[in-house]
Amino acid sequence: MKKILEIYKTAKAPVYSFEFFPPKTPEGETKLFEAVEELSKVDPGYITVTYGAGGSTRDKTIRITSELAKKFSLPAAAHFTCVGGNKDEIRVILKQIRESGIENLMALRGDPPKGEGTFKKVEGGFGYASELISFIKQEGFDFCMGAACYPEKHPEAPSLESDVDNLKRKVDSGASYLVSQLFFKNSNFESFLDLIRKKGINVPVIPGIMPITSFAQIERFKSMAACEFPEKLVSDLEEVKDIPEEFYKRSIQFSVGQCRELVELGAPGIHLYTLNQSPASLDIVRELKN
């Protein structure tokens, strides 16, 4: 399996990658594999599979990441978090991941289990992604590790400056590349890039893009990611929120324009959050490649 940093280092064109989550049902799993099959038609650089809140999908994440990589001959990264495990337990899981053939990890702190509002460090475990990344390196695992970044700051961080200081700790601990939280204003991403470069963070930074497929998602994304939306985008979509075909067309046009601008700004690729659906991400990448 190819390591993701090498993909970015050797790419002659922007790298398009897709994120999926482990479904809860066999039917959902069938649909996931169908979505990946569709998206494989645009030759993605790699795919990633998330880890449920509280580590709830750990075994399924490992299995699905491995199966997708083998079935579609795609490099793949499994998300891995600090949640719910001490050092000994984490070490065992890392060995399982490596033995399954996975060479890439997205190393994250993770979300607390459902029903718990705050993250709680397990005794003998870790409270920050930087600690997890450092441990993985110290234990001698040769994973290529990505980490998350937040152009509009992590919701729990007191300031963007302090959040970037935490981000530098992740990179200094061994993160090879960064994938951003979703955002909709490229000016915020550009300012964020300027700030982290001044702080000495020089690894590839990949914009994370989420296609909007319903008007209700806008409020959800604001709440979930604390992200800003361009006023014109909101008004344009509100105008056609009850006309599905026109809504889809305008949303895709916005995402394509956003991605084109990011690539022109020097982004080495685009990471699309698919929500296990293929049409929007497929249409965006096809348009970008054309």
Side-chain angles (χ1 to χ4, degrees), residues 89-276:
E89 291 166 330
I90 286 171
R91 189 182 295 110
V92 169
I93 301 162
L94 288 168
K95 285 179 181 175
Q96 291 172 353
I97 294 173
R98 196 65 192 82
E99 287 165 4
S100 74
I102 297 167
E103 296 190 24
N104 301 288
L105 289 182
M106 274 296 290
L108 311 162
R109 186 201 70 177
D111 297 323
K114 195 171 182 180
E116 294 183 23
T118 57
F119 180 90
K120 292 175 185 174
K121 176 180 173 179
V122 171
E123 187 175 345
F126 305 110
Y128 300 98
S130 57
E131 296 173 340
L132 175 64
I133 293 166
S134 182
F135 174 77
I136 293 170
K137 285 287 185 184
Q138 288 168 9
E139 289 293 308
F141 291 100
D142 63 346
F143 293 108
C144 174
M145 286 184 283
C149 63
Y150 299 81
E152 294 162 291
K153 98 171 178 61
H154 191 285
E156 295 174 25
S159 69
L160 183 57
E161 285 275 349
S162 66
D163 196 27
V164 170
D165 289 339
N166 289 332
L167 183 62
K168 187 155 191 333
R169 281 190 277 275
K170 294 183 197 178
V171 173
D172 290 346
S173 296
S176 296
Y177 66 98
L178 302 170
V179 179
S180 86
Q181 173 64 283
L182 58 94
F183 64 94
F184 296 88
K185 291 185 78 171
N186 286 356
S187 57
N188 288 343
F189 183 78
E190 195 173 5
S191 299
F192 172 73
L193 270 186
D194 288 342
L195 176 60
I196 68 171
R197 297 309 187 207
K198 285 172 185 171
K199 292 277 189 175
I201 298 172
N202 295 308
V203 298
V205 182
I206 320 307
I209 299 299
M210 177 83 85
I212 303 168
T213 54
S214 75
F215 192 74
Q217 284 180 325
I218 293 175
E219 286 306 316
R220 276 209 301 279
F221 293 162
K222 282 181 182 177
S223 171
M224 175 184 78
C227 53
E228 284 189 86
F229 280 80
E231 288 181 12
K232 186 175 188 313
L233 170 64
V234 176
S235 62
D236 282 353
L237 293 181
E238 186 170 24
E239 196 176 273
V240 293
K241 65 181 180 181
D242 297 320
I243 311 171
E245 285 185 13
E246 185 60 27
F247 184 96
Y248 183 84
K249 180 181 172 184
R250 290 188 185 185
S251 174
I252 296 303
Q253 284 176 340
F254 173 82
S255 293
V256 168
Q258 183 184 16
C259 292
R260 280 195 176 131
E261 187 176 85
L262 289 164
V263 169
E264 286 168 7
L265 288 171
I270 301 291
H271 190 64
L272 285 148
Y273 298 110
T274 69
L275 297 180
N276 289 11

Side-chain angles (χ1 to χ4, degrees), residues 32-42 68 71-72:
L32 166 61
F33 275 75
E34 289 171 353
V36 178
E37 185 168 15
E38 277 295 297
L39 288 165
S40 68
K41 293 174 182 177
V42 291
L68 288 173
K71 182 175 175 62
F72 298 104

